[in-house]
Amino acid sequence: MAHPDPAPRLLSDDTFRRLCRARDLLAAEYQSQVPLDLAAREACLSPFHFHRLFRATFGETPHDFLTSRRMEHARRLLASGAMSVTEICFEVGYSSLGSFSSKFQSLVGRPPTQYQREVRRVFGYPRPWNIILVPVCYFSAYGAG
């Protein structure tokens, strides 16, 4: 019977900072195709070690991290109703509407067009993020909560 891997070793402060710097690069450039070796170079690691340490440290691969950022932004844009699904696809860094739609559906559970229709139906408001992002303290301060 194989023994599970021992507990992961703690990263040095320097390695952790370099991984965070690479993650910040990925977050800032989520709309473009950031090659793994570029992110690895930012962390001063080989692509193999960067991928392994990134996943062990942050609980997701660099690709999954980028995809999450793109889909979060896509959901906000879809909720705004200001752009078409095709425009949003290109805005968040996809070059294929089919790839974007299938990835969105696999992560969100419905196609982007359906998500956009449901948000409009539920909120009935052209810019629902204005409502969603109002701090809770505002409501309690003015007796609305």
Side-chain angles (χ1 to χ4, degrees), residues 5-27:
D5 289 337
R9 295 181 318 183
L10 293 176
L11 293 175
S12 71
D13 286 346
D14 182 55
T15 303
F16 181 70
R17 274 193 291 276
R18 288 185 285 136
L19 282 171
C20 287
R21 194 170 58 234
R23 186 182 61 176
D24 291 345
L25 169 73
L26 292 172

Side-chain angles (χ1 to χ4, degrees), residues 13 36 41 52 89 93 107-108 112 114 124-125 128 142:
D13 286 346
L36 182 67
R41 229 175 310 151
R52 185 178 58 79
C89 162
L107 294 174
V108 178
Q114 182 183 350
Y125 190 79
Y142 294 96

